[in-house]
């Protein structure tokens, strides 16, 4: 049997997840968003952290509670673990229902982000386009939410996003065609979510809107963390000044048996 962790249990999970280089994990461990499940409320030996579609596992992968957690998933799941034992358990439990791929992490060093360089990147906004900070009207706009379901979904409400998060959007003829927001928040920064409408790609819009968001957080003294889902994301991050660290295994679990 597994149990949902409360604030006191959350503190006990910090050592278990210390090897994870993920600000999304920090978002939960620092009490900002997400949920966790454990095998024991007093002395947890295995745990699951879920923030949106991201699910992280740590502890003893061999237990029956670990298997129960491996079925305790959101509708769409990206599962991330830190050991071969956990990878083997996922591949066994969800055999035939997973896709293993690489995501890409970057050094979390604000010194790599040169403000002058990022400001210069914003100067190439094409004529006929405008950039705006995300407000309530943009956050509820259909064209904003169809770009990505995850722009504000980790927050309790749009008002909560406006209070605790930040976003920027590029508009063309009143339609939001690119945006970058804080997918999740942690004590000293955010994890970036970014998307561009397919018909508006290769115009530099992702670069511009990401630059606006990054500048906002650098000016506030907080760090805009970047984690790449594909090669295009990696190249954009490098263009902005992020320094590649490593690739890591991620599991897309496409159904629950």
């Amino acid at each position: 049997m597994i149990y949902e962790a409360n604030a006191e249990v959350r503190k006990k999970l910090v050592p278990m997840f210390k090897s994870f280089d993920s600000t999304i994990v920090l978002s939960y461990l620092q009490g900002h968003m997400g949920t966790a499940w454990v095998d024991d409320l007093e002395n947890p030996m295995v745990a699951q952290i879920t923030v949106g579609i991201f699910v992280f596992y740590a502890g003893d992968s061999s237990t029956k509670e670990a298997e129960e957690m491996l079925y305790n998933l959101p509708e769409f799941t990206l599962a991330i673990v830190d050991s071969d034992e956990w990878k083997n358990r996922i591949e066994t439990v969800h055999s035939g229902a997973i896709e293993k791929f690489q995501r890409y992490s970057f050094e979390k060093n604000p010194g790599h982000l040169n403000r002058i360089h990022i400001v210069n990147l914003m100067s190439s906004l094409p004529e006929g386009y405008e950039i705006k900070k995300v407000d309530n009207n943009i956050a509820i706009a259909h064209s904003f939410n169809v770009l990505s379901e995850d722009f504000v979904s980790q927050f309790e409400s749009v008002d909560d996003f406006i209070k605790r998060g930040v976003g920027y959007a590029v508009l063309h003829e009143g339609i939001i065609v690119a945006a970058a927001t804080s997918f999740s928040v942690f004590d000293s920064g955010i994890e970036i979510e970014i998307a561009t409408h397919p018909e508006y790609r290769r115009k530099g819009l992702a670069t511009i809107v990401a630059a606006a968001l990054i500048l906002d957080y650098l000016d506030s003294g907080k760090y805009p963390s970047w984690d790449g889902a594909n090669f295009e994301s990696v190249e954009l991050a490098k263009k902005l000044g992020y320094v590649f660290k490593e690739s890591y295994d991620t599991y897309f679990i496409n159904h629950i048996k």
Side-chain angles (χ1 to χ4, degrees):
M1 187 172 182
I2 61 175
Y3 308 88
E4 186 171 359
N6 57 26
E8 286 303 312
V9 176
R10 184 176 69 234
K11 298 174 184 177
K12 300 177 183 179
L13 302 184
V14 173
M16 197 181 296
F17 286 89
K18 66 181 180 180
S19 64
F20 284 80
D21 180 27
S22 170
T23 65
I24 299 176
V25 169
L26 289 181
S27 294
Y28 172 76
L29 293 177
Q30 294 173 350
H32 295 282
M33 49 188 47
T35 58
W37 296 81
V38 296
D39 60 328
D40 187 285
L41 294 173
E42 295 298 324
N43 184 33
M45 299 300 292
V46 59
Q48 166 191 350
I49 289 175
T50 300
V51 181
I53 64 173
F54 290 94
V55 182
F56 304 84
Y57 294 100
D60 187 352
S61 64
S62 67
T63 66
K64 62 182 178 61
E65 289 84 2
E67 182 165 343
E68 186 176 352
M69 289 176 188
L70 286 171
Y71 287 110
N72 183 39
L73 301 173
E75 183 177 359
F76 300 100
T77 298
L78 296 181
I80 300 166
V81 295
D82 69 341
S83 71
D84 290 338
E85 290 79 11
W86 270 108
K87 292 176 185 180
N88 292 335
R89 194 75 193 270
I90 289 174
E91 292 171 13
T92 300
V93 169
H94 291 292
S95 177
I98 57 173
E99 178 185 344
K100 185 178 180 179
F101 66 100
Q102 297 293 294
R103 286 183 67 92
Y104 307 90
S105 66
F106 294 81
E107 300 288 347
K108 296 173 176 59
N109 184 346
H112 293 157
L113 303 175
N114 183 287
R115 194 182 191 284
I116 295 174
H117 169 67
I118 295 171
V119 168
N120 288 336
L121 291 174
M122 291 184 62
S123 65
S124 58
L125 186 67
E127 185 177 351
Y129 293 78
E130 60 179 334
I131 188 166
K132 290 185 176 181
K133 192 169 186 177
V134 175
D135 57 14
N136 287 75
N137 291 331
I138 290 177
I140 64 174
H142 176 72
S143 58
F144 177 76
N145 287 285
V146 296
L147 281 181
S148 173
E149 297 178 350
D150 292 320
F151 280 144
V152 302
S153 62
Q154 306 320 307
F155 295 84
E156 295 175 3
S157 63
V158 168
D159 288 342
D160 183 42
F161 170 80
I162 299 299
K163 179 180 178 181
R164 295 196 291 144
V166 175
Y168 284 84
V170 173
L171 288 77
H172 181 246
E173 298 179 348
I175 303 298
I176 298 148
V177 296
T181 71
S182 43
F183 169 81
S184 58
V185 298
F186 57 103
D187 285 354
S188 58
I190 63 161
E191 185 70 35
I192 293 175
E193 172 75 10
I194 186 167
T196 304
H197 191 286
E199 295 180 7
Y200 289 84
R201 291 173 183 165
R202 301 192 181 281
K203 297 178 182 293
L205 302 182
T207 301
I208 293 164
V209 77
L213 181 63
I214 290 166
L215 284 174
D216 190 303
Y217 271 87
L218 291 179
D219 289 346
S220 72
K222 294 193 173 183
Y223 184 71
S225 179
W226 192 289
D227 192 83
N230 50 48
F231 289 121
E232 291 79 7
S233 178
V234 170
E235 291 307 308
L236 176 54
K238 290 179 179 178
K239 182 178 180 180
L240 290 159
Y242 291 93
V243 175
F244 177 73
K245 181 181 179 182
E246 62 185 357
S247 62
Y248 62 93
D249 293 332
T250 305
Y251 293 92
F252 171 60
I253 302 177
N254 55 30
H255 75 265
I256 302 174
K257 289 183 178 180

